[in-house]
Amino acid sequence: MAKISPLQVTPLLPGTNCGECGEETCMAFAVKLLDHVYTVDDCKPLVKEKKYAKKFAKLKEMTTPPIRAVKVGVGERQIVIGGEEVLYRHELTYYSPTAIILSAPDDNLSLIEERAKLVRDLEVYRIGTLLKIQGLAIRSKSNDPATFAKAVKTAIATADIPLILCSTNPAVLKAGANAAKGKNPLLYAATKENFKEVGQIALEHNCGVVVYSMDLNELASLAASLYAAGLEKIALDPGIEPSDGCFADSLDRFMMLRKAAIKGDKNVGWPIVTPIASAWIGKDPNLSEAERIETAFREAEMGATFIARASNMLILHSADSWLLLGLMVLRQGIYSDPRINPSVEAKLYEIGNPNENSPVFMTTNYTMTYFVVKDDLEALKLDAYLLLVDSEGICVESAIAGGQTKAEHVAEAIKESGLENKVKHRIIIIPGLAARISGELEALSNWKVLVGPRDSGGIGAFLKAKWDGKLDQLMQEWKEMQEE
Ligand code: SF4
């Protein structure tokens, strides 16, 4: 999609600056619309007033990404899959992180409950962000509408999370969709045999549907037929064959679909769902623990591969914590915005309750550096000051090498932070990776510089060796430094 500027978007908005969208001006809305903070539908006057109908249609067409965004679920846990504009992350950014969905069969209500709770409750705090998994796929193992409906109701009673209803039997899907009325589930899957009935159920419930075919022409044609029938929430599954010999073909199909979509083939411009749970197809339910882990590992490998290729949704069988954590962390890295160096505010932070004798640490304002150092200091139960110097969000080693952080910047930051009124000593501990600026920093700041460990995990041992009980001695050395 050609890059659109806010100047092209603004004339298509009402221009009344009414503020209904939460922005003070239409121009501010236009900027955020292009940054995917809003959708066109968030400008209510544009949607509601007939006189804007043409502008609304034009703006909608102009801002619809080549891979259309599809919402699944409702409320706070609603997810958006798709919405991507580029094939590779470095070309712009990816907008909607891969949804990680656990699966459970409909004939095991306790497992459904257990997994719904896991999806609801699992939260991992990492680098300033809460990582979660997104939803539950209920698989119709029974092929019985009543059993399936009961399973769906059990999941809904347990947690208000996005649901994927999996069966190729329209009667089963209908029972599931009725049980999940108003919850905006995703029906999975429409095939060439059932797409008319499944499409009808999706239309009746205004929910999305995943189209499945390993034949890409057939897949495109089925999606086009459903779209022509009025469905606007579609996703695609080009199939996965987990065995070593066939997996490369699965990946090829996936990439061909993504490339065609980004190049503008509207028939396949939909999010892609990858059911990596297929690693378990044909496996004996009584696998040994070693075989179980081996299969889960295969699932993890496939999941990592598809997250790296920007799959929009993974459906997993395994719920091992090592697998979920690994995929969530990988996803966090892939879906960070490459246009922005992840940074936190460069200023003086207090760790615990520091006093005038507390140690002072310095590092750069790269997010990952900040959170890792902060967590390490807190784990030591230290009362300390942590001075973050603005490195444009770059880590210590690169910022020192690239000149974003120089001795003069640290000296200025010490002065501006007011540290000289907060502590009675003049000792600052800098990262081992910034050792090369220590001499110049002492000269510019008039503080004694201690070169700390290269890794903040070594701060505890460093303090024992160089700080604890040594403040008087260090200040004596500082005084001698003044006399030189
Ligand atoms: S709601 Fe629409 S018209 Fe009102 S300020 Fe926002 S963009 Fe402009």
Side-chain angles (χ1 to χ4, degrees):
M1 187 169 73
K3 190 78 190 132
I4 304 163
S5 93
L7 293 177
Q8 291 167 279
V9 169
T10 308
L12 296 173
L13 292 167
T16 55
N17 300 330
C18 70
E20 235 186 282
C21 57
E23 296 299 324
E24 284 185 9
T25 64
C26 294
M27 177 64 125
F29 177 85
V31 172
K32 292 194 179 172
L33 175 68
L34 293 178
D35 227 14
H36 292 224
V37 176
Y38 296 117
T39 65
V40 177
D41 300 303
D42 291 320
C43 172
K44 298 298 175 208
L46 191 68
V47 179
K48 283 187 212 152
E49 294 179 36
K50 275 191 180 159
K51 62 181 174 185
Y52 299 129
K54 276 190 184 164
K55 285 186 169 185
F56 173 68
K58 191 165 179 195
L59 191 55
K60 191 126 189 169
E61 195 191 331
M62 187 194 266
T63 56
T64 297
I67 296 180
R68 282 160 276 199
V70 172
K71 291 178 180 171
V72 185
V74 290
E76 273 184 17
R77 295 296 300 258
Q78 182 179 69
I79 51 171
V80 177
I81 55 172
E84 307 305 349
E85 297 179 14
V86 291
L87 194 57
Y88 301 110
R89 172 182 172 271
H90 63 260
E91 294 173 295
L92 181 66
T93 186
Y94 292 154
Y95 287 103
S96 306
T98 311
I100 297 178
I101 307 289
L102 285 184
S103 66
D106 66 345
D107 63 350
N108 188 339
L109 293 184
S110 59
L111 186 63
I112 290 207
E113 212 175 312
E114 184 188 307
R115 293 205 160 187
K117 279 184 189 161
L118 183 61
V119 173
R120 183 190 66 194
D121 299 336
L122 181 66
E123 286 183 346
V124 180
Y125 182 71
R126 183 174 182 269
I127 323 176
T129 305
L130 266 185
L131 309 182
K132 297 181 179 197
I133 51 178
Q134 278 62 49
L136 184 68
I138 302 172
R139 182 167 47 88
S140 172
K141 191 173 164 193
S142 67
N143 199 28
D144 172 51
T147 304
F148 194 65
K150 195 170 176 192
V152 172
K153 282 183 183 161
T154 301
I156 290 171
T158 309
D160 198 4
I161 51 174
L163 294 177
I164 322 300
L165 309 182
C166 310
S167 173
T168 50
N169 180 344
V172 168
L173 285 179
K174 193 177 177 91
N178 286 338
K181 200 170 181 151
K183 295 292 179 187
N184 189 27
L186 188 61
L187 308 184
Y188 184 8
T191 63
K192 73 173 178 190
E193 287 81 20
N194 70 10
F195 75 97
K196 285 187 185 148
E197 296 101 306
V198 175
Q200 194 52 42
I201 299 165
L203 276 175
E204 279 164 19
H205 288 83
N206 189 25
C207 61
V209 63
V210 183
V211 184
Y212 167 80
S213 175
M214 286 172 64
D215 176 335
L216 296 189
N217 290 327
E218 184 176 281
L219 190 67
S221 152
L222 289 172
S225 303
L226 288 170
Y227 185 61
L231 263 178
E232 292 199 345
K233 291 188 266 186
I234 296 172
L236 308 173
D237 172 11
I240 298 185
E241 293 168 289
S243 65
D244 283 342
C246 300
F247 185 65
D249 291 339
S250 307
L251 203 52
D252 272 354
R253 283 195 302 279
F254 177 94
M255 286 310 290
M256 279 192 273
L257 263 189
R258 281 210 74 217
K259 279 184 184 163
I262 296 292
K263 281 184 179 169
D265 182 344
K266 287 199 163 56
N267 289 337
V268 292
W270 300 104
I272 307 180
V273 173
T274 40
I276 53 172
S278 58
W280 294 86
I281 290 175
K283 297 286 175 188
D284 184 334
N286 303 313
L287 285 179
S288 69
E289 183 59 4
E291 287 167 321
R292 191 194 70 76
I293 290 176
E294 197 179 312
T295 311
F297 191 75
R298 179 72 183 136
E299 200 176 6
E301 277 180 322
M302 294 200 297
T305 305
F306 281 110
I307 285 179
R309 302 290 196 287
S311 166
N312 303 107
M313 179 184 281
L314 298 183
I315 299 181
L316 285 74
H317 170 84
S318 314
D320 298 54
S321 52
W322 57 266
L323 184 154
L324 296 176
L325 285 174
L327 294 180
M328 286 193 288
V329 167
L330 174 67
R331 177 183 61 181
Q332 186 184 24
I334 300 281
Y335 284 84
S336 62
D337 190 337
R339 298 169 298 176
I340 302 164
N341 286 323
S343 62
V344 290
E345 190 183 352
K347 63 173 191 178
L348 185 67
Y349 290 82
E350 293 187 356
I351 308 289
N353 295 301
N355 60 37
E356 58 189 13
N357 291 320
S358 296
V360 175
F361 295 88
M362 166 259 151
T363 190
T364 66
N365 73 329
Y366 172 46
T367 308
M368 193 128 166
T369 302
Y370 167 66
F371 281 106
V372 170
V373 175
K374 176 177 151 293
D375 288 352
D376 283 339
L377 293 175
E378 285 176 348
L380 291 168
K381 301 201 180 339
L382 272 185
D383 295 318
Y385 288 104
L386 177 59
L387 178 64
L388 292 202
V389 177
D390 187 359
S391 62
E392 300 169 25
I394 297 174
C395 68
V396 175
E397 193 169 22
S398 304
I400 296 290
Q404 285 84 4
T405 300
K406 295 180 179 169
E408 65 204 62
H409 301 140
V410 183
E412 264 168 42
I414 292 174
K415 213 168 179 185
E416 284 171 10
S417 67
L419 260 172
E420 296 188 346
N421 298 320
K422 291 181 187 287
V423 291
K424 68 176 187 189
H425 63 77
R426 292 293 180 265
I427 320 293
I428 187 161
I429 301 165
I430 67 170
L433 293 168
R436 75 165 83 163
I437 63 165
S438 60
E440 198 185 347
L441 179 58
E442 281 192 345
L444 292 173
S445 66
N446 204 22
W447 279 55
K448 179 171 174 54
V449 175
L450 289 184
V451 176
R454 290 168 69 86
D455 183 319
S456 59
I459 285 176
F462 171 85
L463 289 178
K464 262 190 199 146
K466 306 273 184 180
W467 178 268
D468 293 349
K470 296 190 172 65
L471 190 53
D472 289 344
Q473 182 196 324
L474 288 166
M475 279 307 289
Q476 182 57 37
E477 290 172 21
W478 175 76
K479 279 181 193 149
E480 286 164 13
M481 206 175 94
Q482 313 301 301
E483 290 157 13
E484 282 171 10

